[in-house]
C-alpha cells in the first residue's frame, strides 16, 4: 500500500477526491484497487478554499507509483511493545496524577498487566464537575478539586484540542485509544482534531473503568505529601498521611502542583529553571473571526467556526504568539489557589459559543523575573495575585485591546461581551505587567491588526492573567531511563517541563511507562 501526500481539490466530495488522486498519480482507474483518507486539512488563506488530503491507496504496479513525488510506502503504524524489565517489582507501580500523561501511562501499564495504582489529588470527574460548576457560578473555590486538579487534569477543561506538531509514531496510538473509548473517529484524519470539554468526560470515564477491569486501582482526593528516598532510590510514598512502599512511580502532576514540586526538590530531585510564556486571553465574536479568516466562505459549514494562528517578534526580542485558540469558546476561571486569578480558554464539542478566544502570550526569561530556581514561579504567582486584587472576588480584569494600546481604562464594551462566567471589571492591564511585557504585547497587537484588520479595532477584549500554559521549572531526567535524580521516579507530562498539550503529554506518559517496564518486570502483588 502507498501513501500519497498533497492530494488537493476544491471539493470534499469522495468522487472529486478520487479523481484528484488519479490525476496526482497520473494513474488509470484500473490500477486503483482501494483508497481511504489518512489525513485531511483545509487551506482558506487569501479567501480561497483548498482541501488537501493524504491518501492511503492499494494499487497495482506499486513500484511504479512509488517513483512519483509525494508518494511513499505506507509505514507500519501498528502499536507494539514488549516489556524488557528484569527487576521484579515487590509492589505495584504508582501513577501520580490522572491528566493526559498519567492517563496514558496508566493505560499502557494496565494493558501490559502491571495493575498500577493511580493517585489523584483532585476528585473524580463527576464530583469535580460539580466543584468547578460551583466555582464558576458562585466563586467558591475548592483548592483540591478545580480546573487544575482532578480526574482528566487541566486538559478536561481546556477544549480537548488534539493538535500537535509531533511526528512521533505514538500519536496514532493516542488517537486510536481515544476513538476506542468514545471520541469521534474523525480525529484520526482531521488536521486539527478536537474533542470538546463536554465530550471528554465520557471518554475519560470509559478509560478509567476499562483500566479497573485490567486490575488498576484509583485513589481520588489523595495528595502526595512526601517521599522517602534512600541512597537516591525511591522507597516510600506518603499520601493523605498513609505510607506505601514504592519502587517505581510515574509522576504526572501537571504544572500547578507547586507544593509537590517544592517537596520533591527538598528530597533531592534535580530541577532547572526554564523560560515560559505569560499573557492574556483575547476575545472576538466568532462571526468576526469567520469573516476575517474566510471572507465569502464565512458561512460555509465545512469551514466554520474559523480559527487563526499568529506570531511575531517584538523589537525587544520577545516572541509573541497566539495559543490554544478556542473557536466558539469561553474564557474560563481557572484558579487553583485562593487570592490568585488565572484564566484559560475552552470550547464545547459543538463550538457554538458566540465568541472566539485565544491566549496571547509573551515568552519570558530571567531578565523578567530573576535567576533563582523558583524566581519564575514567584513572578507568576505575583502576577496572579495582582490580577486578583485588580477586581473584587474572582471577577476578571478586562480592557478593550484598543484601550490597552492607548493606556486608557475602558468604560464600555464595543460589541464583544466577555464570556468569563464570574463577571468582569474594567482595569488597565498596563498596570499588571512589567514594561517589557507590555511593550511586546503592544507591538504584537499592532502587528496582528495589520495582518488581520479588526483584530484590535473590532472591539476585542483582553482578560488577564493567562499564566499556566507552561511550568517554570523542568524536572531533570535521564535521557535513556527517563528517571529523575530520584531513581524509580519518572517525571512526565506538562508538569515535568517536557511536554505541552494533551497529545504530547499523552505520548510522554506512554514513553515513561515504557521506560518503567523496560527496567521493572511485573511482580506478584
Amino acid at each position: 500500500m502507498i501513501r500519497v501526500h498533497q492530494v488537493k481539490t476544491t471539493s470534499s466530495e469522495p468522487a472529486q477526491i478520487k479523481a484528484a488522486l488519479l490525476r496526482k498519480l497520473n494513474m488509470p482507474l484500473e490500477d486503483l484497487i482501494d483508497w481511504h483518507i489518512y489525513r485531511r486539512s483545509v487551506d482558506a488563506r487569501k479567501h480561497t478554499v483548498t482541501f488537501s488530503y493524504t491518501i492511503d491507496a492499494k494499487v497495482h504496479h506499486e513500484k511504479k507509483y512509488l517513483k512519483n513525488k509525494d508518494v511513499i510506502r505506507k509505514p507500519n503504524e501498528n502499536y507494539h511493545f514488549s516489556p524488557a524489565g528484569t527487576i521484579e517489582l515487590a509492589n505495584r507501580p504508582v501513577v501520580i496524577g490522572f491528566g493526559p500523561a498519567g492517563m496514558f501511562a496508566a493505560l499502557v501499564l494496565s494493558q501490559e498487566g502491571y495493575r498500577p495504582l493511580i493517585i489523584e489529588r483532585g476528585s473524580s470527574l463527576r464530583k469535580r464537575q460539580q466543584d468547578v460548576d460551583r466555582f464558576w457560578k458562585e466563586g467558591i473555590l475548592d483548592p483540591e478539586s478545580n480546573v487544575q486538579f482532578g480526574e482528566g487534569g487541566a486538559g478536561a477543561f481546556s477544549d480537548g484540542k488534539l493538535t500537535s506538531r509531533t511526528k512521533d509514531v505514538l500519536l496514532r496510538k493516542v488517537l486510536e485509544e481515544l476513538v476506542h473509548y468514545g471520541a469521534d473517529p474523525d480525529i484520526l484524519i482531521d488536521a486539527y482534531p478536537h474533542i470538546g470539554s463536554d465530550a471528554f468526560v465520557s471518554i475519560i470515564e470509559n478509560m478509567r473503568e476499562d483500566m479497573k477491569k485490567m486490575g488498576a486501582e484509583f485513589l481520588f482526593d489523595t495528595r502526595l505529601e512526601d517521599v522517602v528516598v534512600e541512597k537516591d532510590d525511591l522507597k516510600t510514598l506518603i499520601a493523605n498521611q498513609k505510607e506505601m512502599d514504592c519502587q517505581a512511580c510515574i509522576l504526572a502532576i501537571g504544572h500547578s502542583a507547586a507544593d509537590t514540586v517544592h517537596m520533591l526538590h527538598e528530597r533531592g530531585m534535580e530541577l532547572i529553571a526554564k523560560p515560559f510564556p505569560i499573557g492574556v486571553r483575547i476575545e472576538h465574536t466568532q462571526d468576526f473571526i469567520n469573516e476575517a479568516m474566510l471572507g465569502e466562505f464565512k458561512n460555509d459549514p465545512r469551514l466554520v467556526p474559523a480559527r487563526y494562528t499568529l506570531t511575531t517578534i517584538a523589537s525587544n526580542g520577545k516572541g509573541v504568539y497566539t495559543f490554544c485558540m478556542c473557536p466558539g469558546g469561553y474564557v474560563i476561571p481557572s484558579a487553583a489557589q485562593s487570592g490568585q486569578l488565572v484564566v484559560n480558554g475552552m470550547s464545547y464539542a459543538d463550538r457554538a459559543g458566540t465568541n472566539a478566544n485565544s491566549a496571547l502570550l509573551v515568552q519570558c526569561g530571567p531578565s523578567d523575573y530573576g535567576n533563582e530556581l523558583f524566581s519564575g514561579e514567584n513572578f507568576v504567582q505575583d502576577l496572579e495575585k495582582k490580577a486578583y486584587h485588580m477586581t473584587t472576588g474572582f471577577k476578571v480584569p478586562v480592557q478593550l485591546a484598543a484601550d490597552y494600546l492607548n493606556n486608557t481604562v475602558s468604560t464600555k464594551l464595543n460589541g464583544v461581551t466577555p464570556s468569563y462566567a464570574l463577571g468582569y471589571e474594567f482595569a488597565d492591564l498596563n498596570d499588571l505587567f512589567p514594561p517589557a511585557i507590555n511593550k511586546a504585547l503592544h507591538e504584537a497587537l499592532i502587528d496582528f491588526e495589520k495582518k488581520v484588520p479588526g483584530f484590535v479595532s473590532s472591539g476585542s477584549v483582553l482578560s488577564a492573567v493567562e499564566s499556566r500554559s507552561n511550568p517554570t521549572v523542568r524536572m531533570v531526567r535521564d535521557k535513556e531511563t527517563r528517571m529523575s535524580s530520584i531513581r524509580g521516579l519518572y517525571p512526565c507530562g506538562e508538569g515535568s517541563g517536557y511536554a505541552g498539550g494533551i497529545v504530547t503529554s499523552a505520548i510522554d506518559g506512554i514513553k515513561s511507562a515504557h521506560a518503567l517496564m523496560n527496567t521493572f518486570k511485573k511482580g506478584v502483588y
Side-chain angles (χ1 to χ4, degrees):
M1 184 170 280
I2 62 175
R3 177 163 292 170
V4 187
H5 296 277
Q6 299 291 321
V7 179
K8 296 188 177 183
T9 173
T10 56
S11 171
S12 57
E13 293 298 320
Q16 297 299 319
I17 300 170
K18 182 179 179 180
L21 174 64
L22 293 172
R23 288 195 301 272
K24 174 84 175 181
L25 296 173
N26 193 23
M27 173 188 286
L29 179 59
E30 57 266 26
D31 274 3
L32 182 60
I33 300 170
D34 192 18
W35 65 278
H36 65 268
I37 297 170
Y38 175 78
R39 184 63 49 82
R40 67 182 174 200
S41 62
V42 60
D43 184 353
R45 291 174 295 181
K46 299 180 181 178
H47 295 177
T48 61
V49 176
T50 301
F51 295 92
S52 181
Y53 297 92
T54 299
I55 304 290
D56 285 344
K58 185 177 182 181
V59 301
H60 294 298
H61 313 300
E62 185 175 285
K63 289 183 179 179
K64 170 185 174 182
Y65 295 108
L66 282 169
K67 297 177 182 178
N68 289 17
K69 182 183 177 182
D70 298 326
V71 181
I72 61 172
R73 195 178 302 278
K74 180 182 178 296
N76 182 0
E77 295 176 304
N78 294 328
Y79 173 78
H80 177 74
F81 174 75
S82 296
T86 57
I87 303 172
E88 185 171 346
L89 285 169
N91 34 62
R92 60 173 61 191
V94 177
V95 177
I96 306 290
F98 201 59
M103 287 164 55
F104 278 85
L107 179 63
V108 296
L109 286 170
S110 299
Q111 290 171 338
E112 294 296 336
Y114 276 70
R115 300 174 54 233
L117 172 66
I118 297 97
I119 295 175
E120 167 56 57
R121 74 185 288 170
S123 299
S124 60
L125 255 176
R126 299 294 173 175
K127 179 181 181 299
R128 183 188 183 198
Q129 281 186 309
Q130 294 174 359
D131 295 334
V132 170
D133 285 345
R134 183 169 61 252
F135 177 46
W136 288 357
K137 292 176 181 177
E138 304 173 38
I140 300 173
L141 175 67
D142 184 337
E144 298 295 336
S145 180
N146 47 61
V147 171
Q148 303 294 337
F149 300 137
E151 184 177 21
F157 292 93
S158 61
D159 197 52
K161 263 186 290 293
L162 305 176
T163 50
S164 173
R165 292 189 180 94
T166 183
K167 303 294 184 182
D168 198 293
V169 294
L170 289 172
L171 172 60
R172 193 72 178 178
K173 165 74 169 173
V174 171
L175 298 180
E176 286 178 348
E177 292 291 0
L178 290 170
V179 170
H180 173 72
Y181 289 111
D184 189 328
D186 277 357
I187 68 170
L188 293 171
I189 61 174
D190 283 340
Y192 297 94
H194 165 260
I195 292 176
S197 296
D198 48 340
F200 220 4
V201 173
S202 61
I203 294 168
I204 295 168
E205 290 183 328
N206 291 342
M207 189 181 292
R208 179 230 300 158
E209 292 307 307
D210 201 28
M211 280 189 248
K212 284 183 179 179
K213 293 175 184 177
M214 291 184 270
E217 181 181 347
F218 289 80
L219 296 177
F220 293 108
D221 302 302
T222 303
R223 182 167 64 89
L224 177 66
E225 297 167 329
D226 208 345
V227 297
V228 176
V229 180
E230 295 180 7
K231 297 181 179 179
D232 295 328
D233 290 323
L234 177 65
K235 293 295 182 182
T236 306
L237 304 177
I238 301 173
N240 284 16
Q241 301 182 343
K242 294 182 180 179
E243 295 186 4
M244 57 188 79
D245 293 336
C246 182
Q247 295 164 269
C249 174
I250 290 177
L251 192 72
I253 60 174
H255 52 58
S256 290
D259 49 359
T260 305
V261 173
H262 281 264
M263 177 273 291
L264 292 167
H265 181 56
E266 291 169 4
R267 298 296 176 262
M269 177 181 280
E270 183 181 357
L271 306 174
I272 57 173
K274 60 178 288 294
F276 57 89
I278 205 85
V280 297
R281 279 270 155 185
I282 184 165
E283 281 191 276
H284 304 84
T285 66
Q286 185 61 53
D287 285 344
F288 165 74
I289 296 299
N290 290 345
E291 184 163 7
M293 296 294 109
L294 302 174
E296 64 182 284
F297 297 95
K298 63 184 179 182
N299 296 317
D300 190 325
R302 300 170 302 172
L303 306 177
V304 296
R307 61 178 68 84
Y308 61 83
T309 302
L310 297 167
T311 63
T312 193
I313 302 292
S315 61
N316 58 9
K318 289 189 172 297
V320 188
Y321 59 98
T322 61
F323 173 76
C324 187
M325 193 268 165
C326 300
Y330 304 86
V331 175
I332 59 173
S334 300
Q337 290 84 25
S338 298
Q340 295 173 222
L341 199 150
V342 181
V343 298
N344 197 358
M346 75 168 203
S347 299
Y348 293 115
D350 60 9
R351 291 185 163 183
T354 300
N355 288 357
N357 74 80
S358 176
L360 180 59
L361 299 177
V362 179
Q363 195 65 24
C364 299
S367 62
D368 298 297
Y369 48 77
N371 295 298
E372 300 299 320
L373 178 60
F374 294 111
S375 294
E377 177 190 306
N378 294 334
F379 173 74
V380 169
Q381 290 185 356
D382 286 346
L383 284 176
E384 292 172 356
K385 291 174 183 177
K386 194 172 181 181
Y388 178 83
H389 288 293
M390 293 180 86
T391 66
T392 55
F394 281 101
K395 290 181 180 179
V396 69
V398 303
Q399 187 172 22
L400 270 64
D403 290 335
Y404 174 64
L405 290 177
N406 292 323
N407 295 276
T408 302
V409 177
S410 302
T411 58
K412 63 180 180 178
L413 301 173
N414 185 26
V416 181
T417 301
S419 58
Y420 184 89
L422 287 171
Y424 63 90
E425 292 179 9
F426 291 121
D428 189 352
L429 300 183
N430 290 284
D431 295 336
L432 174 62
F433 297 110
I437 293 176
N438 280 323
K439 180 179 180 65
L441 284 173
H442 278 226
E443 292 183 7
L445 287 168
I446 293 168
D447 182 51
F448 295 166
E449 173 73 16
K450 293 176 182 176
K451 292 175 178 176
V452 182
F455 194 81
V456 171
S457 57
S458 66
S460 58
V461 174
L462 307 179
S463 303
V465 57
E466 168 84 28
S467 53
R468 302 291 179 99
S469 64
N470 261 275
T472 63
V473 296
R474 175 172 287 128
M475 301 175 178
V476 177
R477 65 188 186 194
D478 182 82
K479 289 184 179 180
E480 292 186 8
T481 67
R482 297 177 70 89
M483 290 187 199
S484 71
S485 53
I486 300 174
R487 289 191 295 268
L489 198 57
Y490 297 81
C492 66
E494 286 196 7
S496 70
Y498 292 94
I502 292 172
V503 169
T504 54
S505 293
I507 291 172
D508 204 47
I510 292 174
K511 288 182 175 180
S512 291
H514 285 178
L516 185 156
M517 291 186 283
N518 280 333
T519 298
F520 297 97
K521 66 179 181 179
K522 289 178 289 187
V524 179
Y525 41 76

